[in-house]
Amino acid sequence: MIPKYRIRCVGGGEAVEDISLLSCPHGHDSLLRTEYCTRKLHLAPHTGIYRYLTWLPVNTPLLPSGGPVTFTSNELSRELGLSNLTLSFSGYFPEIGAGLTTGSFKELEASPTMQRLQELGNAIPVIASAGNTGRAFAELSARCRRPVVIVIPEKAVHRLWTTEPAPEVFLVTVRGDYSDAIAVSNKLAAVPGCVPEGGARNIARRDGMGTVMLDAAVTNGRIPDHYFQAVGSGTGAIAAWEAAMRLIGDGGYGNRLPRLHLAQNLPFTPMVSAWEAGRREILPADDMPDATENIGKVMSDVLTNRNPPYGIRGGLFDALQETNGRMYGVPNPAGADAMRLAEETVGIDLDPAAAVATASLVQAVEKDFIGPDDHILLNLTGGGYERIREDFVLHQVPPVTTVTTDEPAEQITGILREWIAHHG
Ligand SMILES: *Cc1c(COP(=O)(O)O)cnc(C)c1O
């Protein structure tokens, strides 16, 4: 049988034999990228993201599945004076067919990641998260009864709910911040039977998020001129760029990459700062001074990643350079205005990150960075939480244990080994 895809190191250009790897075996500081044998995008007869099974690195869909919804809003288009504004929504809003019950586009990543791991031999993914990613994996675990290990900062535990009980989740809360959660997750991922989920390095995660661009292009019959999104790690934006390259390869959707317009939330904007200085490296002293204090001030904390895949080959710097991209810093008041605008025009309670993205589009219109008739795709990456609370009974995921960062690793890895013996 001809394999469905290969993976290739973007930096070195070489094909990588072992498709389970997360980084280049030859040491290039680079993302690995999927190369699908089918250059034409055939639509599969499945729901949600699995309509795009051709360009997902799994053989079998994990059903039922939600997906991004592409739609338009006459009210918002009129308000912004844009004649070709397309919205993509990844969240919960049954009126338009949006059925992601975790409320964010992290669900687009979690589903193919879980499915791919099962197909590659059933390793248990270990995920460090500030909240939304952890919730997406917890929900998927509940839905398909497969074990996952999730590590989150203790103060994010209120975000770990699911719409059905999730007995296969090994949840660890950490007395510390997201970076501390990552440190603990690295220890747990070394336990036999577990693997690090990989974040931006995970091709299933990026290709799952790429379905936003695919769905918009299929709906409109073309690649948009401009793509707007709020970024924390930049993984979603890298995915949009990669999906657009595949669409150009298909030949039926145009031959121009969309220009990436990416937003962060002031006063924590490391990638905006580095990009505007023309630098591939993020310099903490210049690009994120007073990081802890400034992270505490933003309205959207999912946008506050301190170590994004920015400089790495195939990462966000390359994506911006290749697409002649722009970055935007959005202050909280502008985000709050955009939140109200979306509520009044589209009728959805947006995730704060999606409001930041909407605010960057408002900024681009005011500064004439885009033309009134340009084809624009605005990625609304999350929302609908009010409706989720109305329509579902939410189950809080209980932590198995809470750790401090100076605790010895043996204790917690021991608990995990025992848990795997019962659940693996
Ligand atoms: C994580 C997240 C983002 C940022 O996505 P990245 O891929 O990390 O850049 C934006 N919006 C929402 C709702 C998110 O959960």
Side-chain angles (χ1 to χ4, degrees):
M1 205 177 97
I2 302 166
K4 181 177 180 181
Y5 63 88
R6 288 188 298 195
I7 57 174
R8 195 176 287 284
C9 170
V10 179
E14 75 278 23
V16 175
E17 288 285 318
D18 181 354
I19 59 166
S20 72
L21 292 181
L22 293 168
S23 47
C24 175
H26 305 109
H28 295 114
D29 180 31
S30 173
L31 295 180
L32 303 177
R33 189 182 287 159
T34 331
E35 214 171 74
Y36 292 97
C37 298
T38 309
R39 280 169 65 105
K40 278 275 173 197
L41 176 61
H42 301 290
L43 300 183
H46 304 302
T47 55
I49 61 169
Y50 294 101
R51 197 174 177 217
Y52 305 104
L53 185 60
T54 305
W55 289 349
L56 289 172
V58 297
N59 296 315
T60 308
L62 184 54
L63 298 169
S65 167
V69 172
T70 304
F71 68 112
T72 55
S73 158
N74 291 336
E75 290 78 11
L76 185 59
S77 299
R78 199 174 320 117
E79 203 61 44
L80 296 174
L82 298 171
S83 59
N84 289 301
L85 172 62
T86 298
L87 308 174
S88 175
F89 180 59
S90 294
Y92 187 73
F93 193 52
E95 283 76 1
I96 60 166
L100 301 181
T101 55
T102 66
S104 92
F105 79 159
K106 298 298 194 299
E107 200 171 323
L108 311 180
E109 317 179 85
S111 177
T113 296
M114 297 281 282
Q115 178 60 21
R116 184 162 186 266
L117 282 174
Q118 198 209 17
E119 292 180 6
L120 293 181
N122 272 321
I124 300 171
V126 179
I127 299 116
S129 165
N132 286 356
T133 303
R135 185 170 64 252
F137 276 89
E139 180 80 18
L140 262 291
S141 164
R143 214 179 284 163
C144 60
R145 300 285 150 161
R146 291 182 201 162
V148 298
V149 177
I150 300 172
V151 187
I152 57 168
E154 192 175 35
K155 58 179 184 298
V157 74
H158 65 278
R159 288 187 178 155
L160 255 283
W161 43 261
T162 50
T163 61
E164 52 188 294
E168 305 292 324
V169 175
F170 185 91
L171 175 64
V172 177
T173 56
V174 179
R175 294 215 171 91
D177 64 11
Y178 179 50
S179 307
D180 299 316
I182 291 172
V184 172
S185 78
N186 288 336
K187 292 175 189 165
L188 295 180
V191 169
C194 295
V195 289
E197 178 270 334
R201 293 179 179 274
N202 174 354
I203 56 159
R205 196 163 168 170
R206 302 208 305 279
D207 294 356
M209 287 180 139
T211 59
V212 169
M213 179 63 71
L214 301 184
D215 197 64
V218 166
T219 303
N220 291 336
R222 55 162 290 166
I223 298 167
D225 299 316
H226 305 278
Y227 172 83
F228 283 79
Q229 196 209 302
V231 292
S233 66
T235 311
I238 297 165
W241 169 51
E242 291 176 327
M245 286 193 270
R246 288 186 190 121
L247 288 164
I248 290 174
D250 172 291
Y253 298 92
N255 56 14
R256 284 218 332 261
L257 285 171
R259 189 168 190 188
L260 299 186
H261 298 258
L262 308 176
Q264 294 204 286
N265 193 180
L266 287 162
F268 186 80
T269 55
M271 293 193 278
V272 183
S273 172
W275 174 248
E276 288 183 346
R279 254 187 288 106
R280 179 180 279 278
E281 294 76 38
I282 292 175
L283 303 177
D286 295 350
D287 300 324
M288 44 181 188
D290 308 316
T292 305
E293 192 189 330
N294 287 337
I295 283 173
K297 291 180 183 164
V298 300
M299 68 185 274
S300 171
D301 61 356
V302 300
L303 306 179
T304 58
N305 193 309
R306 291 172 195 244
N307 291 299
Y310 173 77
I312 189 171
R313 289 290 156 183
L316 200 76
F317 181 85
D318 285 345
L320 286 163
Q321 201 164 47
E322 294 289 314
T323 64
N324 191 22
R326 267 186 200 281
M327 292 223 54
Y328 301 75
V330 172
N332 287 347
D337 287 347
M339 181 92 82
R340 262 191 305 277
L341 177 65
E343 183 92 59
E344 286 162 15
T345 54
V346 189
I348 303 178
D349 60 305
L350 292 182
D351 183 286
V356 166
T358 307
S360 69
L361 176 58
V362 173
Q363 228 184 83
V365 169
E366 283 169 359
K367 293 182 176 161
D368 283 328
F369 289 163
I370 49 176
D373 298 320
D374 290 354
H375 286 258
I376 293 150
L377 174 60
L378 170 61
N379 187 354
L380 301 173
T381 47
Y385 300 113
E386 285 168 24
R387 281 298 298 277
I388 293 172
R389 275 191 288 272
E390 280 170 30
D391 289 2
F392 298 93
V393 175
L394 303 184
H395 304 262
Q396 187 67 42
V397 181
V400 173
T401 180
T402 300
V403 299
T404 53
T405 45
D406 50 10
E407 259 170 71
E410 291 73 33
Q411 209 159 329
I412 177 170
T413 53
I415 302 172
L416 177 57
R417 277 171 209 269
E418 216 160 282
W419 185 83
I420 291 173
H422 289 99
H423 289 252

